[in-house]
């Protein structure tokens, strides 16, 4: 029996930019770490907030997740101009913060818009893996709804997982590592409830 259940994946600019900034912050906090996170850049002139960064980050992350979950058209190339005030909360007020925000967006987009950025991230959830996850979910769900999955290139270490009604954020590691795939289905099934 075929259902109308659908699954959509996307790799949003906004959430991946936030992971990018998260990793820069974590590298700054642990400069001697043997295996730094990507990207490893000198952000000392960017004016990234030092005091209460985790609190600001969590607030921005949750707002970006909520905007993405409510409106699939929220996230596109112009999101950093259109919603600049949200993302600039992670930077100091004034010229240094404005410069840092502009530089961070430029640096992120130089990577993200290349073949080795967004396209590579989206290809991790290949047809085989996506079909396996879809089949398992469809066997349990008898609904005419769409589950939206946003992919991030790394884990949201400062904000925790994002699983809302018919929406989830998954780091590509959860999909790319075969031993993690069985853990995905129960998490996604929880999202397929009307909260």
């Amino acid at each position: 029996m075929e259902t109308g259940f659908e699954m959509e994946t996307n790799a949003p600019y906004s959430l991946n930019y936030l992971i990018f900034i998260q990793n820069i912050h974590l590298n700054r906090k642990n400069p001697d770490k043997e295996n730094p996170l990507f990207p490893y850049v000198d952000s000392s002139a960017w004016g990234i907030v030092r005091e209460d960064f985790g609190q600001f980050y969590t607030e921005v992350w949750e707002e970006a997740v909520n905007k993405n979950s409510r409106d699939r058209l929220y996230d596109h190339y112009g999101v950093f101009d259109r919603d600049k005030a949200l993302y600039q909360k992670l930077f100091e007020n004034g010229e240094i913060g404005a410069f840092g925000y502009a530089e961070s967006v430029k640096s992120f987009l130089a990577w993200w818009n290349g073949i080795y950025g967004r396209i590579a991230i989206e290809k991790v959830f290949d047809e085989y893996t996506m079909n396996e996850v879809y089949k398992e979910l469809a066997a349990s769900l008898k609904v005419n709804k769409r589950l939206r999955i946003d992919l991030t290139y790394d884990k949201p270490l400062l904000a925790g997982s994002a699983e809302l009604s018919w929406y989830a954020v998954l780091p590509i590691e959860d999909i790319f590592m075969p031993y993690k795939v069985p853990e995905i289905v129960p998490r996604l099934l929880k999202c397929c409830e009307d909260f």
Side-chain angles (χ1 to χ4, degrees):
M1 178 180 165
E2 196 169 312
T3 69
F5 171 68
E6 296 177 351
M7 196 167 70
E8 170 189 338
T9 60
N10 185 33
Y13 285 83
S14 58
L15 300 182
N16 281 286
Y17 169 76
L18 289 173
I19 296 291
F20 188 84
I21 295 299
Q22 164 199 268
N23 288 356
I24 289 170
H25 167 74
L26 293 173
N27 286 334
R28 179 180 66 183
K29 278 183 65 178
N30 303 302
D32 299 326
K33 187 175 178 183
E34 188 175 314
N35 294 315
L37 301 167
F38 176 81
Y40 186 80
V41 297
D42 179 5
S43 63
S44 59
W46 287 7
I48 295 174
V49 172
R50 288 190 181 273
E51 293 286 320
D52 300 321
F53 179 85
Q55 178 184 340
F56 284 113
Y57 183 86
T58 300
E59 290 170 11
V60 173
W61 174 265
E62 287 174 359
E63 190 169 338
V65 164
N66 285 328
K67 287 180 178 191
N68 275 294
S69 72
R70 287 191 311 263
D71 180 5
R72 65 187 272 279
L73 300 177
Y74 165 74
D75 193 278
H76 59 77
Y77 183 76
V79 72
F80 302 120
D81 291 326
R82 196 179 71 255
D83 212 357
K84 186 178 190 175
L86 175 63
Y87 302 101
Q88 266 193 305
K89 289 179 182 179
L90 300 173
F91 296 83
E92 296 173 12
N93 293 325
E95 282 184 41
I96 291 175
F99 169 78
Y101 177 70
E103 286 298 298
S104 70
V105 168
K106 211 180 301 179
S107 179
F108 172 75
L109 292 176
W111 164 65
W112 193 245
N113 286 332
I115 192 85
Y116 34 76
R118 182 177 189 185
I119 292 170
I121 302 306
E122 289 176 337
K123 292 297 179 192
V124 168
F125 207 163
D126 65 11
E127 190 174 328
Y128 173 76
T129 307
M130 189 168 182
N131 282 337
E132 289 303 307
V133 171
Y134 175 82
K135 283 183 211 171
E136 288 192 46
L137 289 171
S140 299
L141 300 168
K142 307 295 183 216
V143 295
N144 294 322
K145 285 197 170 188
R146 174 180 291 208
L147 173 62
R148 289 186 39 239
I149 301 170
D150 280 345
L151 303 172
T152 58
Y153 80 90
D154 207 348
K155 295 175 272 210
L157 299 170
L158 297 176
S161 65
E163 294 155 359
L164 304 169
S165 181
W166 295 97
Y167 175 82
V169 177
L170 290 178
I172 60 171
E173 179 182 310
D174 287 0
I175 297 156
F176 190 68
M177 303 297 192
Y179 68 90
K180 289 195 171 206
V181 172
E183 299 170 13
I184 295 172
V185 174
R187 282 178 47 206
L188 293 178
L189 278 172
K190 285 183 186 174
C191 297
C192 297
E193 298 171 2
D194 295 313
F195 297 5

